[in-house]
Amino acid sequence: MKVVMGLELHVHLLSKSKLFCSCPTNYENKEPNTLVCPVCCGFPGSKPKITKKVLDSGIMVAKALNCNISPVIFFSRKSYPYPDMPKNFQISQYEIPLAFNGYLEITNKKVRIKRVHLEEDPAKLVHVGGDITSAKYVLVDYNRAGIPLIEIVTEPDFESTKEVREFLSKLTSILEHLGVYDASKEAALRVDTNISLEGGERVEIKNITGFANIEKALNYEIVRQQNLLRMGMQVERETRHFDADTKITYSLRKKEFEEDYGYIMDSDLPWIEISDEWIKEIEKQMPELPDTRIKRFVKKYEIRERDAKVIVYVDKTLADFFESCMKIYKKPKMLAKWIVADLLKCLNYQGVTIRESKVKPKTFVELLKLIDEKKITERLAKEIIKEFVATGTSPKEIIKAKKLVRIEEKELLPIIKNVIKENKKAVEDFKAGKEKSLEFLIGQVLRKTKVRADPKIVRELIKRLI
Ligand SMILES: [Zn+2]
């Protein structure tokens, strides 16, 4: 059954002040309802005023997504009868978005971007004693109300969750390179997605936070709809909620149509002309984007394109980390290999990003130099890196504390002789042509030396001795 999916992303645009007032946006860990004013609390008679810097960032994002930019824009009021918007409308863009008709290229296709527009974030609701359906009561924190959001809407061009994952990681890397997005901020990226299977109605899943949850929600929904259709039942057009704890989606409301929101133009805000000069000025300030950076990595450092893509698309800080290491280390291929294969594996295992981890370029390079100088084997380095990433203790200190230096030949010979003596059958098998027996003998030596021996040398010595 063919799957069709589209995304609507809401991203917090980094800005010192809110979209329509001068209240600060750094609301994390702040006393609730302290970063507020009559405008973001929606008091009658208060007048919104656009923060130009946010428009600049919006234009930058639109250009990076290959969009056309509307020459004139205005803002509209969208009916919003929920307590997180006290004025009962949200200032958004509807009739004419900031930008439209763009695309973002992933491995096998161009994902079309339908529109990009700016709007204010509602306040934050805190459900006390349960979730959205079971809470005893709800508290509202207006510190978040009015934070600038950019909404990016794709056409329904995704056919698998793999494509969605690739798109999201590329998009967030672009936003990070533009300096308009900080993934570590709470609720910095929220996604609504619509999904339909061939022969079924379109279902929307609202407000999913975090990459992993987006994939889980989509996977769950694909299976749910497949099962319904297989049983000859209808998939209803509706809006569903994804519960991150139980990992299932459930029905919130039957789908309303855009018209139900009753948009009207916001006459408190002026029409804004976006001139070609303005766009050119922004283009001049555009930093290096991920695709250009990947090409530069391949050309300048001669690393594999595959590795460059992983390093740049995981997140910008990893690409920055790579370049910081390159300032103090001269073997880019070795560096790329260890970042892609081992460092990332350990970071994922710990559930942290490079920025959140205690790994620093200096200590990471220290590990690679220990391998280069043949003080430790690669096998041993793979053990050390696990502890290094988990604790931040420098590789040299780990080695010292655990006495993990590489075993030299002199010390190695008696161990190998012993292994040969203890495994006569394997020795005979090897002599009879069974290559696997040699691997077994090498394994025995490595086990006895706790991987402090270099497998290549062990191989040579065993062959020499038997
Ligand atoms: Zn305010």
Side-chain angles (χ1 to χ4, degrees):
M1 260 180 267
K2 197 179 169 210
V3 182
V4 176
M5 294 176 277
L7 300 176
E8 257 182 61
L9 302 114
H10 299 89
V11 183
H12 272 177
L13 275 184
L14 289 180
S15 157
K16 283 210 173 73
S17 46
K18 292 185 179 179
L19 183 51
F20 297 117
C21 60
S22 55
C23 292
T25 56
N26 55 337
Y27 64 88
E28 281 94 358
N29 308 317
K30 294 283 181 339
E31 190 76 12
N33 299 313
T34 51
L35 310 178
V36 290
C37 74
V39 172
C40 52
C41 284
F43 286 4
S46 62
K47 280 247 179 188
K49 199 169 166 258
I50 184 107
T51 304
K52 181 177 172 287
K53 171 81 180 37
V54 178
L55 274 173
D56 289 348
S57 302
I59 294 170
M60 212 182 245
V61 173
K63 284 312 285 181
L65 297 177
N66 310 296
C67 290
N68 297 324
I69 291 171
S70 303
V72 179
I73 58 163
F74 60 89
F75 286 87
S76 288
R77 297 174 174 181
K78 173 183 180 178
S79 297
Y80 193 99
Y82 305 106
D84 48 349
M85 266 301 174
K87 52 186 188 264
N88 274 2
F89 62 81
Q90 177 187 25
I91 306 179
S92 178
Q93 291 186 288
Y94 177 59
E95 298 85 346
I96 300 176
L98 170 67
F100 54 95
N101 276 356
Y103 65 85
L104 180 59
E105 208 161 355
I106 56 171
T107 306
N108 56 342
K109 65 170 67 162
K110 276 183 181 171
V111 175
R112 291 168 299 156
I113 309 285
K114 189 175 176 183
R115 53 185 281 145
V116 172
H117 73 246
L118 298 170
E119 63 186 26
E120 55 179 343
D121 202 8
K124 182 181 167 188
L125 293 178
V126 183
H127 297 92
V128 181
D131 63 15
I132 190 168
T133 56
S134 60
K136 283 193 197 119
Y137 58 95
V138 179
L139 297 171
V140 193
D141 177 5
Y142 290 103
N143 284 353
R144 210 181 74 186
I147 300 256
L149 283 180
I150 191 161
E151 181 170 324
I152 300 165
V153 183
T154 76
E155 296 285 356
D157 286 347
F158 300 100
E159 289 167 272
S160 69
T161 46
K162 191 171 156 260
E163 288 176 4
V164 171
R165 192 193 318 143
E166 189 188 342
F167 175 87
L168 287 176
S169 90
K170 190 162 181 180
L171 175 72
T172 47
S173 182
I174 289 174
L175 297 173
E176 282 178 328
H177 278 83
L178 292 175
V180 299
Y181 168 71
D182 180 354
S184 67
K185 293 209 173 211
E186 180 216 358
L189 171 76
R190 306 196 295 274
V191 175
D192 297 347
T193 141
N194 53 69
I195 166 169
S196 63
L197 265 59
E198 210 165 11
E201 276 285 356
R202 207 175 75 141
V203 171
E204 200 171 335
I205 314 170
K206 282 273 186 200
N207 239 335
I208 320 169
T209 322
F211 273 32
N213 283 336
I214 293 162
E215 235 180 307
K216 278 177 198 144
L218 288 173
N219 282 331
Y220 175 85
E221 196 51 29
I222 291 172
V223 173
R224 187 188 72 88
Q225 293 187 20
Q226 274 173 348
N227 287 343
L228 283 175
L229 293 173
R230 275 193 198 121
M231 290 188 289
M233 292 159 82
Q234 292 277 318
V235 174
E236 275 194 83
R237 185 173 175 125
E238 62 179 348
T239 300
R240 297 176 73 87
H241 171 74
F242 176 71
D243 186 308
D245 295 326
T246 55
K247 314 266 179 276
I248 63 168
T249 67
Y250 55 86
S251 184
L252 266 187
R253 54 182 180 264
K254 300 301 164 205
K255 173 72 186 163
E256 64 270 88
F257 293 84
E258 282 294 346
E259 289 74 20
D260 298 344
Y261 287 120
Y263 288 90
I264 52 162
M265 207 190 92
D266 193 318
S267 52
D268 280 344
L269 286 155
W271 290 57
I272 300 162
E273 190 189 331
I274 303 176
S275 65
D276 288 345
E277 290 74 47
W278 186 357
I279 298 172
K280 277 193 195 116
E281 197 48 48
I282 299 287
E283 278 177 322
K284 260 191 248 160
Q285 299 164 22
M286 291 265 273
E288 183 183 44
L289 289 174
D291 281 346
T292 322
R293 196 172 197 188
I294 288 166
K295 281 190 195 124
R296 180 166 62 81
F297 277 14
V298 172
K299 199 165 171 235
K300 183 173 174 190
Y301 302 118
E302 295 177 336
I303 62 173
R304 289 189 304 183
E305 190 186 356
R306 205 172 66 192
D307 289 346
K309 277 186 173 167
V310 173
I311 291 170
V312 175
Y313 288 149
V314 162
D315 67 44
K316 178 179 177 285
T317 44
L318 189 66
D320 294 343
F321 177 83
F322 175 83
E323 296 215 85
S324 300
C325 289
M326 277 315 302
K327 286 190 186 131
I328 46 172
Y329 187 66
K330 299 293 163 230
K331 292 166 76 178
K333 282 184 187 133
M334 171 94 169
L335 176 64
K337 184 182 110 182
W338 275 82
I339 288 180
V340 171
D342 297 276
L343 178 61
L344 273 180
K345 205 192 287 170
C346 293
L347 290 172
N348 287 341
Y349 184 74
Q350 300 285 331
V352 291
T353 62
I354 188 75
R355 185 186 1 209
E356 293 156 346
S357 83
K358 293 178 185 136
V359 176
K360 297 282 168 277
K362 190 168 166 263
T363 40
F364 189 67
V365 165
E366 182 182 303
L367 181 75
L368 302 186
K369 284 185 176 165
L370 285 166
I371 305 169
D372 292 342
E373 290 159 7
K374 296 200 170 1
K375 291 201 172 118
I376 54 172
T377 63
E378 292 215 7
R379 285 276 298 266
L380 186 54
K382 282 180 194 294
E383 294 304 314
I384 294 170
I385 193 173
K386 288 180 198 159
E387 187 175 335
F388 165 47
V389 173
T391 61
T393 312
S394 91
K396 274 187 183 157
E397 279 169 44
I398 296 172
I399 290 165
K400 209 170 142 196
K402 296 194 165 177
K403 299 195 177 69
L404 288 175
V405 283
R406 180 169 173 268
I407 286 194
E408 291 308 321
E409 202 174 312
K410 207 168 64 189
E411 204 184 327
L412 202 53
L413 275 170
I415 299 170
I416 294 180
K417 280 180 186 159
N418 246 335
V419 167
I420 291 173
K421 210 186 284 172
E422 285 164 11
N423 296 282
K424 288 209 171 81
K425 173 87 174 52
V427 173
E428 290 312 312
D429 286 349
F430 174 63
K431 282 181 179 163
K434 249 175 106 179
E435 272 295 319
K436 265 197 177 153
S437 302
L438 179 61
E439 301 304 324
F440 169 78
L441 292 169
I442 295 170
Q444 293 299 308
V445 176
L446 293 182
R447 200 165 60 88
K448 286 199 183 212
T449 59
K450 298 195 173 69
V451 300
R452 285 159 55 218
D454 185 336
K456 273 186 221 144
I457 295 175
V458 173
R459 179 185 293 268
E460 286 314 306
L461 287 176
I462 295 178
K463 278 182 167 172
R464 203 194 301 162
L465 288 171
I466 61 181

